C-alpha cells in the first residue's frame, strides 16, 4: 500500500510541478487555460492527499499531514479568488497559487536533499515571481 501511495504521490507531484508553469504561461498570454488550471488543481489536491496519507503511515511524521492540507487549501483558494472576485483578489491570488507551487517545490527539495535550506529556499526564491504576478495583475486593473 505504501509503495502505491508513494508512486501516486511522486506522479501527481511531478504533474503539478509541470502544470503550474503551463497555467502561468497561458495566463501571461491572456488565455483562460481552464484545462491547465483544473489539471493543476487535481494534481495538487492528489499530491496533498497522498502526502498526508504517507505522513500518517510513517511513525513520527504525522505533523507533515498539515502541510498537505495547507497546500490543497492554498491552491483551491487561489483558484476561487479570481473566479469569485474576492475583494483584493489581485493581491491575494498570486500569494495563494504561488504558495501552493512553493509547497510542491519545497516537498521535492526536502525529499531529494534533506537539507534544512530546502525548507526555506523555495519560499525565498518564490517571492520574486509572486511579486511580479501581483504587480502585473494590479497594472491590469488600472484603466488605460
Amino acid at each position: 500500500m505504501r509503495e502505491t501511495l508513494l508512486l501516486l504521490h511522486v506522479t501527481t507531484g511531478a504533474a503539478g510541478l509541470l502544470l503550474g508553469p503551463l497555467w502561468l504561461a497561458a495566463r501571461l498570454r491572456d488565455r483562460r487555460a481552464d484545462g491547465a488550471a483544473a489539471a493543476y488543481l487535481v494534481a495538487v489536491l492528489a499530491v496533498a492527499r497522498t502526502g498526508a496519507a504517507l505522513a500518517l503511515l510513517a511513525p513520527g511524521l504525522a505533523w507533515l499531514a498539515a502541510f498537505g492540507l495547507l497546500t490543497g487549501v492554498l491552491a483551491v483558494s487561489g483558484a476561487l479568488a479570481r473566479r469569485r472576485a474576492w475583494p483584493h483578489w489581485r493581491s491575494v491570488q498570486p500569494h495563494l497559487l504561488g504558495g501552493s507551487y512553493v509547497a510542491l517545490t519545497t516537498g521535492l527539495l526536502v525529499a531529494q536533499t534533506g537539507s534544512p535550506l530546502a525548507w526555506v529556499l523555495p519560499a525565498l526564491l518564490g517571492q520574486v515571481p509572486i511579486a511580479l504576478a501581483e504587480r502585473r495583475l494590479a497594472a491590469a486593473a488600472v484603466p488605460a
Side-chain angles (χ1 to χ4, degrees):
M1 171 147 161
R2 183 184 182 285
E3 290 78 21
T4 303
L5 274 174
L6 187 57
L7 178 63
L8 285 171
H9 185 67
V10 169
T11 303
T12 56
L17 287 168
L18 293 172
L19 288 163
L22 287 177
W23 184 11
L24 176 62
R27 292 302 303 157
L28 288 173
R29 291 185 185 111
D30 291 325
R31 296 187 181 140
R32 284 184 54 104
D34 290 340
Y40 176 75
L41 291 175
V42 167
V44 170
L45 291 173
V47 78
R49 192 170 187 179
T50 56
L54 286 166
L56 293 173
L57 289 174
L61 294 181
W63 61 275
L64 285 172
F67 286 98
L69 175 65
L70 179 60
T71 302
V73 167
L74 287 170
V76 171
S77 298
L80 289 176
R82 182 183 195 131
R83 183 166 295 201
R84 302 258 169 105
W86 289 356
H88 311 292
W89 72 265
R90 286 180 168 84
S91 299
V92 174
Q93 187 193 39
H95 294 279
L96 295 170
L97 288 175
S100 71
Y101 196 80
V102 164
L104 290 178
T105 306
T106 301
L108 172 68
L109 292 177
V110 167
Q112 292 301 310
T113 68
S115 169
L117 278 177
W119 284 99
V120 179
L121 201 55
L124 292 175
L125 295 177
Q127 295 310 304
V128 172
I130 289 170
L132 291 173
E134 186 177 0
R135 176 179 283 174
R136 184 177 183 277
L137 286 171
V142 177

